[in-house]
Amino acid sequence: MSEHIVTAFDQDLKQLAGKIAEMGGLAETIVNDSITALMRMDGELAQSVIQADRRLDALQFHIEDQSVLMIARRQPMAGDLRQIVAAMRTCNELERVGDLAKNIAKRVIAIGGELRSKKLAIGVEHMAELAMVQLKTVLDAYTQADAETAKLVRERDEEIDRLYTSLFRELLTYMMEDPRNITFCAHLLFCAKNIERIGDHATNIAENVHYMITGQQLTDERPRSDEIELADFDSDN
Amino acid sequence: MSEHIVTAFDQDLKQLAGKIAEMGGLAETIVNDSITALMRMDGELAQSVIQADRRLDALQFHIEDQSVLMIARRQPMAGDLRQIVAAMRTCNELERVGDLAKNIAKRVIAIGGELRSKKLAIGVEHMAELAMVQLKTVLDAYTQADAETAKLVRERDEEIDRLYTSLFRELLTYMMEDPRNITFCAHLLFCAKNIERIGDHATNIAENVHYMITGQQLTDERPRSDEIELADFDSDN
């Protein structure tokens, strides 16, 4: 590979990292806004979340296309290839985070009125705060190529899962106490589930970051059958 | 490209198509089993769904890795590249379908008992039947490279969405009628949502099929920013 081509490749990689950072920042913003919209029952803010999610979708397709083109054009070797694959996977996760925030925003519009009682929603807000910290931390770990922090994010996901389980029960109790809570709490159940899944996607990104840096899969749960071949790629080409 | 290399590439493509077909068949089976498990409250069948979903995850990683390797090694041109990208996207969708079926199976285990009343769940079953037809039809369209059928699948998704909206209201009504229905119906709400999303993934696959065959995006909703560059790829390389 000539000096010129290597430099062009590095530029491509930098551009890719920049787009992921843009996507990450946008995903954080729309998660935050969707929760604010929920707590304030702010339909206008909810609408803006739905709009912003379209930008996230566009960015995902852009990154996916650019990644495929880079692989085809530059035939990158192990470490570089891993970086591109991690970018593709991460943008896929961020797009899903955006969808989940959009779902929350749509529920705000579906509820379409006053917050029935702040008390009912407070647990959802608390869970969302944890999920947002997870998302922010893992995006920093991605930017700084920090495998250790990524690992910590993955371990902390349990806390969100536990919170979700107790919140599920709590919301059912409110429903049983007063049938007038049922519709509102049903929507909150879905919001809580969406947040729990945002936490899962932060975990998936953490696994990508770890893989990108170390070439090793963190997970024993998610079988990644032939990934070893990515590392074998050099010798084969 | 030598004759030899072209043949090897065709073989790779065929293998890729075979793996997608395997994934598709497995996804259909586990969706079907998850609904059967729900209607019969069959915890054992639910467990087998959770197990089978792991195979789906493994297949996804295998297909993703193989696709990346194919792109890097063979530097395919427009139509072939589209086919690989469509395979990657489709396996991603199928993995998500598997997750949704697994979620339904997990709820069967969480409910852990008798079906409270068949009447409460009948709407969910009906919705699932529609979603399964959509999934089967779009997978056939993928195998037969049938863009027209793919388009039909996409149009029919509205029906599932409408059904979901009316089911949501119906389940809330059951909850209000009798608080003893609340826990069971809350789980059913999530099952219904999962099925609605299986329908969405069938739609996404339909869009992939159409794109793979025609090189055109069906959607005006989902902006795919720079995809045109995939078609430009020939001239650039």
Side-chain angles (χ1 to χ4, degrees), chain A residues 86-158:
Chain A
M88 286 171 79
R89 287 183 183 157
T90 300
C91 82
N92 188 26
E93 300 296 337
L94 290 172
E95 190 263 333
R96 289 164 77 170
V97 168
D99 280 349
L100 294 164
K102 185 178 70 180
N103 289 349
I104 295 171
K106 280 185 178 170
R107 291 209 175 261
V108 173
I109 294 165
I111 300 167
E114 295 282 303
L115 197 61
R116 214 186 125 66
S117 142
K118 186 134 185 160
K119 176 191 151 208
L120 302 180
I122 208 90
V124 174
E125 188 181 31
H126 176 53
M127 220 184 128
E129 278 159 10
L130 273 187
M132 283 188 277
V133 169
Q134 287 280 84
L135 187 61
K136 192 190 172 345
T137 310
V138 81
L139 287 168
D140 289 346
Y142 185 92
T143 310
Q144 289 155 27
D146 178 350
E148 274 316 299
T149 302
K151 225 169 155 176
L152 282 177
V153 167
R154 188 169 181 265
E155 282 157 17
R156 271 200 311 247
D157 185 53
E158 250 181 63

Side-chain angles (χ1 to χ4, degrees), chain A residues 26-78:
Chain A
L26 189 56
E28 281 184 66
T29 304
I30 77 175
V31 172
N32 190 51
D33 286 354
S34 70
I35 300 302
T36 307
L38 178 69
M39 296 310 289
R40 296 190 196 148
M41 278 297 136
D42 181 340
E44 247 176 76
L45 188 58
Q47 282 293 357
S48 84
V49 167
I50 293 167
Q51 280 306 311
D53 179 59
R54 294 168 63 95
R55 169 86 188 130
L56 219 50
D57 291 350
L59 274 167
Q60 190 215 348
F61 282 108
H62 178 81
I63 291 169
E64 204 177 67
D65 291 349
Q66 291 304 310
S67 303
V68 167
L69 285 173
M70 274 177 77
I71 295 170
R73 283 179 182 150
R74 314 277 186 211
Q75 299 190 282
M77 291 187 267

Side-chain angles (χ1 to χ4, degrees), chain B residues 8-189:
Chain B
F9 181 74
D10 286 345
Q11 255 174 2
D12 282 0
L13 270 186
K14 210 181 245 179
Q15 215 171 39
L16 199 61
K19 286 285 172 202
I20 293 279
E22 184 184 345
M23 255 193 110
L26 189 56
E28 281 185 65
T29 304
I30 77 175
V31 172
N32 190 51
D33 287 353
S34 70
I35 300 301
T36 307
L38 177 69
M39 296 311 289
R40 295 191 198 148
M41 278 296 135
D42 182 339
E44 248 177 74
L45 188 58
Q47 281 293 358
S48 83
V49 166
I50 292 167
Q51 279 305 312
D53 179 60
R54 293 169 64 97
R55 169 85 188 131
L56 218 49
D57 291 350
L59 274 167
Q60 190 215 348
F61 282 108
H62 178 80
I63 291 169
E64 203 177 70
D65 290 349
Q66 291 304 310
S67 303
V68 167
L69 285 174
M70 274 177 77
I71 295 170
R73 283 180 182 150
R74 314 277 186 209
Q75 300 190 282
M77 291 187 268
D80 291 336
L81 186 54
R82 273 210 313 275
Q83 217 169 319
I84 301 173
V85 170
M88 286 171 79
R89 288 184 183 157
T90 300
C91 82
N92 188 26
E93 300 296 336
L94 289 172
E95 189 264 333
R96 291 164 76 171
V97 168
D99 280 349
L100 293 164
K102 184 178 69 180
N103 289 349
I104 295 171
K106 281 186 177 170
R107 291 208 175 262
V108 173
I109 294 165
I111 300 168
E114 295 281 303
L115 196 61
R116 215 187 123 67
S117 142
K118 185 134 184 160
K119 176 191 151 210
L120 303 180
I122 208 90
V124 174
E125 189 181 32
H126 176 52
M127 220 183 127
E129 278 159 10
L130 273 186
M132 283 187 278
V133 169
Q134 288 280 83
L135 188 61
K136 193 191 170 346
T137 310
V138 81
L139 288 168
D140 289 345
Y142 185 93
T143 309
Q144 290 155 26
D146 177 350
E148 274 315 299
T149 302
K151 225 169 154 177
L152 282 177
V153 167
R154 187 169 181 266
E155 282 157 16
R156 272 202 310 247
D157 185 52
E158 250 180 63
E159 205 179 322
I160 297 182
D161 289 350
R162 266 198 306 271
L163 215 54
Y164 170 69
T165 305
S166 85
L167 198 52
F168 185 85
R169 290 203 192 108
E170 190 184 322
L171 289 168
L172 292 193
T173 309
Y174 295 143
M175 287 168 148
M176 288 171 199
E177 276 171 13
D178 185 346
R180 286 168 302 173
N181 287 335
I182 285 178
T183 303
F184 183 62
C185 285
H187 286 298
L188 286 183
L189 276 178

Side-chain angles (χ1 to χ4, degrees), chain B residues 186-205:
Chain B
H187 286 298
L188 286 183
L189 276 178
F190 279 101
C191 291
K193 185 72 197 169
N194 286 332
I195 294 163
E196 187 259 336
R197 286 174 57 219
I198 289 172
D200 288 344
H201 292 303
T203 302
N204 293 347
I205 295 172

